[in-house]
Amino acid sequence: MSKQLILVSHGQFCEGLKQSTEMIMGPQDNIHTVSLLPAEGPEEFQAKFLDTIQGLDDFVVFADLLGGTPCNVVSKLILEGREIDLYAGMNMPMVIRFINDALLGTTSRYDESTSEYIQYVNDVLAGMSDDEDE
């Protein structure tokens, strides 16, 4: 079984991120989502997360927000001795990097270099105008 990705978030952000990524990269059977719904607490979320990872040997977890309940629940499992790679602040470039790693058989530190995709577009456009003036 190939490496699996678990996206965890408040509300349905993780499901939307998976769907949006699939628009670009195609269907991804190795990406799973676990949403913390408004009526749920940490216990319900943990039960859903544990159910999702049951039987998975090789996986990484991307969480929406450092310090939020989904990230905290997984962090607690790590502190209890579970071997889980957990990254907070998930975004589409991270998910695409995961997919590319799976295709190429490589492994990344998903917290490195994804910040390069965060750009103030006004500056990018201004730089393009400056290049045209030369």
Side-chain angles (χ1 to χ4, degrees):
M1 178 182 285
S2 64
K3 188 170 204 131
Q4 306 288 300
L5 176 61
I6 316 299
L7 305 176
V8 299
S9 71
H10 295 84
Q12 297 180 344
F13 173 60
C14 58
E15 292 154 1
L17 180 57
K18 179 182 179 191
Q19 290 171 351
S20 295
T21 302
E22 288 179 330
M23 285 179 65
I24 298 168
M25 304 296 289
Q28 302 296 317
D29 294 334
N30 60 336
I31 299 178
H32 313 273
T33 61
V34 184
S35 300
L36 173 66
L37 301 177
E40 296 174 331
E43 297 80 18
E44 291 91 353
F45 179 82
Q46 180 173 320
K48 290 192 318 187
F49 179 79
L50 291 173
D51 185 52
T52 299
I53 66 169
Q54 185 174 0
L56 299 180
D57 294 328
D58 191 14
F59 65 92
V60 63
V61 178
F62 291 173
D64 60 347
L65 181 66
L66 181 66
T69 298
C71 188
N72 290 347
V73 167
V74 179
S75 296
K76 182 180 173 199
L77 294 171
I78 293 168
L79 290 172
E80 292 171 355
R82 296 235 185 191
E83 295 284 331
I84 300 171
D85 289 331
L86 172 63
Y87 294 89
M90 69 182 177
N91 56 48
M92 191 179 293
M94 289 172 67
V95 178
I96 291 172
R97 166 127 340 138
F98 172 86
I99 294 166
N100 286 333
D101 279 350
L103 291 170
L104 298 171
T106 58
T107 303
S108 293
R109 282 279 314 243
Y110 299 101
D111 56 333
E112 297 174 353
S113 77
T114 55
S115 64
E116 71 191 41
Y117 296 105
I118 299 171
Q119 299 285 324
Y120 182 51
V121 177
N122 297 61
D123 286 346
V124 174
L125 296 173
M128 293 170 63
S129 299
D130 294 342
D131 291 344
E132 290 174 6
D133 295 338
E134 293 177 5

